[in-house]
Amino acid sequence: MSSPLTLLVSVITALLLSFVVAAAVMHHSASGSAALDYQQDRLCAESLHPSLETTVRAELVTPLLADVRANAQGRSPLPATYTREARTDFGGNQTYAKFGYRPGATDHLQVLEGGSKDGLWVPQSIARTTDLQLGKRGMNGALPPVTAIYADLRDPLEPYWCSERAFVVPNIHSRNDLLTSVVWMPSEESFAALPPQLTRQVDVTVRYPAEVPTTVDEADRLLAAGTALIKPYDHEGFRVFSPLVHPIENARETARNVRSAILPLTLISLLIGLAGVATVTAQWAQRRHAELRLLWVRGSGPAALGGRAVLELGLPLVVGGALGLGVAWLLLPVYAPSTALPAGTVPQAVVAVVAVIALSLAATWAAAAFRTHRAFQATSSGTRLRRVLTALPWELATGALAVWAWNRVQHSGLATPLKIGGLPRIDAAALAFPLLVVLTTALLAARVARWALRASHRASLWSKPAAQLAIRRLAAAAGPVTGVLLVGVLAIGTIAVGTSIAGSQKTALDVKSGMYAGAESHAQVPSDVQLPEALKSNSTIVGVSVLNDYTALVVDPETFARGAYPSGVDPALLTRPLRVGTAPRREITLPGLPTINPTAHVPAFPKLGTSGWVVPRSSIEDPDDVNSWHVWSSLPLGELTAALADSGIKYRNVGEKSKAVAGLAFLTIQWTFGFVTAIGAVLAVVAAIALLLAIEVRRRQNAVSGAFSTRMGLRPSALLGSHLLELGALALVAVAVGLTASAVSSGFAVPRLDPAPRMTPAPEVPDVVPLLVTTVAGSALVVLVAAWIAVRAVRSARIGELIRG
């Protein structure tokens, strides 16, 4: 405890080192859970467990459901039965209706009139058609009395209904008059008692509600158990749905991609951390030099003296390792895409941390043994080894790797499907390109800095003593200075690369989804529709005309910008025909449109991407001749459909931006570089600690130099300015070089790291001003603290004791 700072630095170094390794293990596992959760959000929770659908005769429904319940193996199946549409008499105008029963269905409907659950629940659409009144019994009294009228179900559906969408939401915009909403029966027995003319065929669905899995292992177990459960029914006549198959495969592939991408960076961080442990050990050996020499004289060898270092520094390293594991667990929501970890992840992290602690202890022993061997046995051997390692052109090797990685960037073949399906391979070498550029730049900057410090003795700035003293102090500590510069450039460059690429992927997914969908939400409507008041300020009507591979949009120039996704197209251009992107430069005729040969051109357009045409609505003679018409809105889908339904407008084929593109490939890259950002933050802490440690190691030299300088007339403000110049120059170079390297590498990599290159626009580097301000502010704070420590050491020094020492 005579060197509390050394112990504190040892604890922090081990903490950061174990944090990196434990966080890598947890982040890799969490990425699989996050991928699964992302895909489950596009599925129905009630149909995650494998489920069944079939069509049978009415008399077979009851035996089938009895058999399903008998073979449920402890689960609670949720069956549903639906008749086909049939002409039905409710006492008024005749209409078509379909009847259904599903346990709990009436608990998930919006009651408009009545509400008793012992009779029929009729949808509002049928009640309006037949002028239906509560209490009436249809089919000449063969049906139970009507006890409730409910609001027709519409998109987006609540989770209870989403698996039944094909049966409960009619395609009401179709020309088929038979399509209708469901009349709900009060019980399974009442459904079985329906008149035969209504139950010629019955559609049966059997869902197995289960707890939504949060990890890949849980989903795998759910899929395996469900597959075994419904295996007896997996034959002709039954349709088996297992929607978890592809999400599980994609989640495992995502976890593998993330692991392969972060493994090299984790190993580099591990090496840097072990180098930090060796540096702390060297500082400890310098403080214990007299004691170690006494032990040496008494017969202790380098191995024994290395053991002495382990005895003293081992406990702080173990404590730091345990703290690092705890910090990695506590900060999981900050750096990981999910907090759901598969069973066994934490034990794996513990094993990794134990291995790191063992390596740290080994590095401590080796560093102390080597230091004492060099100090007491072979003074020149260590110098020669250090010179050889310094002279080796490491930046050429990393530069060659960067060139190879750039080639992989150009040929990585990243692509993503528009719907759930196979996940493309993410090339880890391609993702490493910007980091290799930063590493090469950091090594080159360290070498140039070493050359400059060697030549700094030629500088003569005694007219400005603060600057001259700063240069001499930097030159006197060339080794620590270049080490701090190397780690500082790596830290700043890594943070900048991580935030830039992760931000670009997040923005690219959002913008590509918006351009592909055309708007925040959309729905197909009749050709003669007029926007209701609730949609006039936030929506527009767009026509779509398609012929083979050619597509044209019919837009309203006055309202288009209100509902369409912002695309930067000048609204004035929409008053005349437009050619979009690579569309042919010739006359073309599409259904419902006049012959068009536009002279105006835009590179991209919502929904069309980079190929198609746009015409104003005023040029259309008959809207019915256009293939289809859609409402595009900036509102969420639920608000759009509610406004249409409230206005009595029929709609179908709804969609929304958030589910337009399967963005798992984008998210994989985003999660990978999110971890890169976390590693950069750790390296920044390492750089700050290394700087403060270098100041502490040079405390005596700085105190002597500063004390004599002040005795010779150097003002305290000039002394502070000298240290600010010294440390500020180091921080400025690290910030400038790190940000420049990241800007160049990200500028080249971001447009190429495009999982969906066929969709527009290409990813772009986000605004770096917030990062620049944060980096400069953080660096300035570290410089101020370090300068204050150095000046405080001078002011508190006793010159007589320093000279005697």
Side-chain angles (χ1 to χ4, degrees):
M1 294 302 294
S2 60
S3 303
L5 182 61
T6 301
L7 298 182
L8 178 61
V9 172
S10 298
V11 171
I12 295 177
T13 303
L15 185 153
L16 295 175
L17 188 56
S18 64
F19 168 81
V20 168
V21 176
V25 174
M26 295 181 185
H27 186 276
H28 148 250
S29 298
S31 62
S33 300
L36 182 68
D37 181 67
Y38 171 77
Q39 295 172 103
Q40 286 181 164
D41 186 54
R42 295 162 164 263
L43 302 172
C44 294
E46 285 191 352
S47 61
L48 293 179
H49 185 290
S51 58
L52 301 169
E53 291 184 8
T54 187
T55 302
V56 297
R57 300 192 308 273
E59 62 270 18
L60 299 179
V61 172
T62 300
L64 172 63
L65 295 183
D67 184 70
V68 166
R69 293 189 178 100
N71 293 280
Q73 299 180 10
R75 290 195 174 274
S76 299
L78 180 60
T81 52
Y82 307 94
T83 68
R84 297 293 176 89
E85 293 81 358
R87 185 175 292 276
T88 306
D89 179 12
F90 283 103
N93 296 328
Q94 287 193 345
T95 185
Y96 283 90
K98 62 187 297 186
F99 295 82
Y101 174 73
R102 196 182 195 215
T106 53
D107 296 331
H108 299 273
L109 297 173
Q110 180 184 353
V111 179
L112 301 178
E113 294 183 43
S116 175
K117 296 184 179 182
D118 57 355
L120 298 183
W121 282 45
V122 180
Q124 185 182 28
S125 56
I126 292 180
R128 285 176 176 173
T129 302
T130 62
D131 192 23
L132 186 64
Q133 304 296 321
L134 295 179
K136 287 189 176 180
R137 301 173 66 97
M139 302 296 287
N140 298 318
L143 296 178
V146 175
T147 58
I149 297 175
Y150 72 91
D152 291 59
L153 294 170
R154 56 176 178 249
D155 293 305
L157 296 170
E158 65 169 289
Y160 176 85
W161 291 114
C162 68
S163 63
E164 309 300 295
R165 186 188 183 283
F167 301 96
V168 300
V169 177
N171 190 352
I172 57 177
H173 191 55
S174 171
R175 299 180 186 274
N176 186 350
D177 294 332
L178 296 181
L179 295 173
T180 179
S181 295
V182 180
V183 175
W184 294 100
M185 305 298 294
S187 65
E188 191 171 314
E189 293 74 17
S190 63
F191 182 90
L194 282 170
Q197 60 267 36
L198 300 179
T199 59
R200 293 185 177 90
Q201 282 187 317
V202 177
D203 293 314
V204 180
T205 68
V206 181
R207 316 298 180 190
Y208 295 86
E211 186 175 350
V212 177
T214 58
T215 67
V216 180
D217 292 341
E218 291 178 2
D220 211 2
R221 289 193 294 269
L222 178 64
L223 177 61
T227 302
L229 178 63
I230 65 173
K231 188 176 181 180
Y233 305 98
D234 190 4
H235 55 77
E236 186 177 358
F238 285 89
R239 299 182 296 276
V240 175
F241 294 89
S242 296
L244 272 182
V245 174
H246 284 307
I248 291 174
E249 294 175 355
N250 291 346
R252 293 195 185 281
E253 183 65 23
T254 297
R256 286 192 292 267
N257 286 334
V258 171
R259 180 183 58 193
S260 61
I262 68 176
L263 182 59
L265 181 61
T266 304
L267 293 177
I268 292 173
S269 302
L270 177 61
L271 294 176
I272 293 175
L274 293 176
V277 172
T279 301
V280 173
T281 305
Q283 193 262 351
W284 170 87
Q286 181 177 340
R287 286 181 174 274
R288 294 287 187 269
H289 183 80
E291 179 183 340
L292 294 175
R293 188 171 188 84
L294 178 61
L295 294 172
W296 173 266
V297 171
R298 292 184 176 181
S300 298
L305 297 179
R308 175 73 175 81
V310 172
L311 287 175
E312 186 166 336
L313 298 178
L315 180 60
L317 291 176
V318 172
V319 172
L323 291 176
L325 178 63
V327 171
W329 170 260
L330 292 176
L331 294 183
L332 187 66
V334 176
Y335 65 83
S338 173
T339 57
L341 297 178
T345 300
V346 175
Q348 291 176 7
V350 171
V351 171
V353 169
V354 170
V356 165
I357 293 174
L359 289 174
S360 301
L361 295 175
T364 299
W365 176 86
F370 178 77
R371 181 91 177 185
T372 53
H373 167 73
R374 192 182 68 181
F376 305 135
Q377 284 183 326
T379 306
S380 61
S381 62
T383 303
R384 285 198 301 270
L385 178 61
R386 186 168 63 253
R387 288 177 178 175
V388 170
L389 293 176
T390 303
L392 288 176
W394 299 104
E395 57 271 22
L396 293 181
T398 57
L401 290 174
V403 172
W404 172 71
W406 171 246
N407 182 65
R408 298 303 310 142
V409 171
Q410 292 179 304
H411 303 91
S412 59
L414 298 178
T416 184
L418 298 180
K419 301 298 179 184
I420 292 177
L423 184 70
R425 181 178 61 89
I426 304 296
D427 196 330
L431 300 186
F433 165 73
L435 299 176
L436 288 170
V437 171
V438 171
L439 178 58
T440 302
T441 306
L443 292 171
L444 186 60
R447 188 173 297 277
V448 171
R450 185 177 291 275
W451 290 343
L453 292 176
R454 286 179 181 174
S456 64
H457 65 278
R458 298 179 182 178
S460 180
L461 299 174
W462 288 113
S463 59
K464 297 179 180 179
Q468 183 69 29
L469 288 175
I471 293 174
R472 298 314 304 148
R473 281 195 301 269
L474 287 172
V481 165
T482 53
V484 171
L485 179 63
L486 174 64
V487 179
V489 172
L490 278 176
I492 294 171
T494 302
I495 292 175
V497 164
T499 54
S500 296
I501 296 183
S504 70
Q505 293 294 311
K506 180 179 181 180
T507 303
L509 176 58
D510 181 73
V511 175
K512 285 176 183 284
S513 299
M515 292 293 286
Y516 181 78
E520 185 69 33
S521 59
H522 57 85
Q524 185 176 347
V525 293
S527 59
D528 59 347
V529 72
Q530 297 293 324
L531 286 177
E533 286 297 326
L535 299 179
K536 285 186 177 180
S537 63
N538 47 51
S539 304
T540 186
I541 298 177
V542 177
V544 179
S545 181
V546 180
L547 179 64
N548 298 326
D549 294 332
Y550 296 151
T551 303
L553 296 184
V554 182
V555 303
D556 180 2
E558 295 184 0
T559 63
F560 184 76
R562 302 174 188 171
Y565 185 82
S567 59
V569 177
D570 186 357
L573 294 176
L574 301 179
T575 58
R576 51 180 174 163
L578 287 177
R579 185 175 64 87
V580 178
T582 59
R585 296 173 177 268
R586 59 178 174 82
E587 286 189 355
I588 188 168
T589 302
L590 295 175
L593 308 185
T595 301
I596 53 177
N597 187 14
T599 57
H601 174 266
V602 292
F605 201 83
K607 193 65 178 179
L608 295 176
T610 57
S611 180
W613 294 266
V614 180
V615 297
R617 186 165 184 172
S618 59
S619 64
I620 305 302
E621 295 182 359
D622 188 354
D624 289 335
D625 293 336
V626 178
N627 291 138
S628 61
W629 290 91
H630 306 258
V631 174
W632 288 9
S633 179
S634 58
L635 295 174
L637 179 59
E639 296 182 24
L640 170 62
T641 56
L644 292 175
D646 292 344
S647 301
I649 299 175
K650 299 178 179 181
Y651 62 90
R652 63 169 179 164
N653 293 342
V654 299
E656 55 187 332
K657 184 192 75 173
S658 61
K659 296 182 179 180
V661 176
L664 195 52
F666 293 91
L667 295 176
T668 300
I669 300 176
Q670 181 181 332
W671 296 335
T672 298
F673 282 92
F675 185 74
V676 168
T677 304
I679 295 295
V682 172
L683 291 176
V685 176
V686 171
I689 292 175
L691 181 62
L692 298 178
L693 184 60
I695 296 295
E696 181 62 24
V697 170
R698 292 161 42 201
R699 174 188 288 269
R700 184 177 180 279
Q701 296 92 322
N702 287 342
V704 172
S705 172
F708 276 115
S709 298
T710 54
R711 290 289 183 92
M712 295 173 66
L714 187 69
R715 291 175 300 177
S717 60
L719 179 63
L720 176 61
S722 176
H723 283 286
L724 289 176
L725 281 174
E726 172 195 359
L727 303 173
L730 188 61
L732 181 62
V733 171
V735 170
V737 174
L739 290 180
T740 301
S742 68
V744 172
S745 61
S746 299
F748 280 101
V750 164
R752 295 282 184 173
L753 294 178
D754 188 355
R758 294 181 299 277
M759 300 177 64
T760 58
E764 297 179 355
V765 178
D767 184 13
V768 298
V769 173
L771 175 64
L772 177 62
V773 173
T774 303
T775 303
V776 171
S779 302
L781 179 62
V782 173
V783 167
L784 288 174
V785 172
W788 175 78
I789 292 174
V791 173
R792 182 175 177 273
V794 173
R795 291 182 176 180
S796 61
R798 298 182 180 181
I799 188 65
E801 294 182 4
L802 290 174
I803 294 175
R804 285 193 298 272

